[in-house]
Structures are given as structure tokens and as C-alpha cells.
Amino acid sequence: MTENGHASPLVQMENVNKHFGALHVLRDINLTVSRGEVLVVIGPSGGGKSTLCRTINRLETIDAGKIVFDGQVLPDEGKALAKLRSEVGMVFQSFNLFAHKTIRENVTLGPTKVRGTAKDQADKRAMELLERVGIATQADKYPAQLSGGQQQRVAIARALAMDPKMILFDEPTSALDPEMVQEVLDVMIGLARDGMTMMVVTHEMGFARRAANRVVFMADGQIVEENTPDEFFTNAQTDRARDFLSKILTH
Ligand SMILES: Nc1ncnc2c1ncn2[C@@H]1O[C@H](COP(=O)(O)OP(=O)(O)OP(=O)(O)O)[C@@H](O)[C@H]1O
Ligand SMILES: [Mg+2]
């Protein structure tokens, strides 16, 4: 808590700018994510949503501006960067599990290799997490033996195994068959209820309405609008957002 009684923000982005060559992909981004907040990022393809996420765990560097995570300016390299990466979990569209390792090993690998957690302890925790995401019975199978929805739930368990301060989700359900989307969203809704700080790039409006505290609409590298889900979906303020919503609502 700060002196005025507000919880300190977990992420503060100030005038963040990023180019890929001549392409200006993040333009003066100012964004704060509070502890325990669930932020949904929505917007047209190429608008910079993935890049925005990736700057927070420094998978992408920035050209100008400042990003503070948990009170510290993001580190450039070395141990401090490894620590940051372990504190910011990431779940991608493609599940990115290690194909030649079992589900259980996928979840214990980070804690044992990065954190130096004892194997039996990591194992116990992995089983608790697999239970939580509803796939404990699959622990000794390999990723290819699981459905997409199950693999994505493993990816979430793997992120949780590091006890992250935040998890970034980049379109976690967009590679899934439709019938598997909800089982992954249900796990994410559970995490949100448990107070996990989350930044979620998704066009799943049901999730946004049920779990998000705030929706950020991003286009052409800029935050065009941010609002509560109810306000954003029923009363978007800009033509750009209204146009985007009309497209995703009618397809
Ligand atoms: N590594 C890279 N090198 C060059 N250009 C890139 C790179 N990554 C992204 N871009 C470009 O930066 C812009 C923003 O990309 P980004 O992936 O952040 O958008 P997005 O909003 O996530 O899009 P989508 O909805 O399609 O996932 C796009 O024009 C993209 O082509
Ligand atoms: Mg993207």
C-alpha cells in the first residue's frame, strides 16, 4: 500500500514507443495495470497487441519511454531479466509445450531448473495445479496425446507453477476448436476470481464481460479507448472501436 492507501500498480508503461524498422508499432503507450486487475486488450490485426504484451516480459525491447514492473524499471539482461521472466507468465495461442516431455515434466521443468525447487516438491505442486486446471489424470501423457483445450490448460498450469505475479495471455483460445474454448476460458475466469493479475489479448467478449475489469482497444499502435467492458461493448466512444465491434459481432 502507498501512503494514500491505494495498492501500488504492478505495471506502469509511460510513453512507450517501439518500431520494427520504419513501422511504428507502439505509439506513446501510457498504461497502468493494478495488482489483481484483469485487463482485456482488443483490436484489429496488426494493431500492436502482441507486441504490447511482449514488451512487459521484455521479449521485445522498447525504443523510448519507460516500463516499471513491481516497482523496478525492466532490467536489460542477466539475472534480473531471468527473474522478471519468471515473475511474468505467458500463455500463447500455440501452446508451446515441450513435445518430448510429459505433461507433469512440462509443469515441473521451470521450478526445478530456474527456481531450484526440489523435484518431489515441484512434482507435488505440479499435481495440485493440474488438478486445478482439470487434467491431473493426464499427467504422464505427452502433449500430442491431449486435445488442444487440454494442452492449453497445461500451458496455464505451467505458467502458474512459477508463482508469477502476472500472466500475459496472447489469444489463448484462438487456435482451439470451438468446443474447447470454454474449458480454457473457465480456467482463466477462475484465475481472475482468485486475484491473478492478467493481461489478456482476446476477442472473446463473454470472457471480457465476465472477468475483465477494463477493456483496452488498440489500433495502429495506439490505445484508442479504454473503459469497463459494459461501457465499451454497449457504448464505444470512437468510430474506430464501433466499426471494429460491428465486425466481430456480426461474423
Ligand atoms: N518481429 C517483427 N518484425 C517486424 N515486424 C513485426 C514483428 N512483429 C510484429 N511486427 C509488425 O508489427 C505490427 C504489430 O504486430 P502485432 O503482432 O503486435 O499486432 P497484433 O495486434 O498482435 O495483431 P494480431 O491481431 O494479428 O495478432 C504488425 O504490423 C506486424 O506485422
Ligand atoms: Mg497478436
Side-chain angles (χ1 to χ4, degrees), residues 138-157:
Q138 320 281 338
D140 296 311
K141 291 189 179 169
Y142 287 85
Q145 296 174 281
L146 270 59
S147 72
Q150 291 173 327
Q151 289 187 55
Q152 195 60 304
R153 286 183 282 146
V154 175
I156 295 172

Side-chain angles (χ1 to χ4, degrees), residues 18-21 23-26 41-54 60 93 170-171 201 203 218-219 221:
K18 163 89 183 165
H19 296 76
F20 284 118
L23 195 65
H24 198 174
V25 286
L26 296 180
V41 181
I42 192 171
S45 181
K49 305 178 297 294
S50 295
T51 307
L52 177 78
C53 273
R54 291 162 59 85
E60 297 290 354
Q93 178 175 338
D170 192 359
E171 303 207 33
V201 180
H203 295 165
M218 221 185 150

Side-chain angles (χ1 to χ4, degrees), residues 19-95:
H19 296 76
F20 284 118
L23 195 65
H24 198 174
V25 286
L26 296 180
R27 298 170 183 251
D28 285 322
I29 300 289
N30 288 286
L31 182 67
T32 297
V33 186
S34 302
R35 288 171 210 272
E37 188 175 24
V38 178
L39 194 80
V40 160
V41 181
I42 192 171
S45 181
K49 305 178 297 294
S50 295
T51 307
L52 177 78
C53 273
R54 291 162 59 85
T55 60
I56 296 177
N57 60 359
R58 226 169 180 285
L59 286 174
E60 297 290 354
T61 57
I62 60 176
D63 304 336
K66 189 165 112 176
I67 304 178
V68 175
F69 181 80
D70 200 16
Q72 311 260 311
V73 174
L74 291 195
D76 286 342
E77 56 187 11
K79 275 196 175 154
L81 181 57
K83 180 166 177 286
L84 169 79
R85 296 254 167 88
S86 74
E87 289 175 344
V88 183
M90 183 139 193
V91 174
F92 304 88
Q93 178 175 338
S94 54
F95 327 120

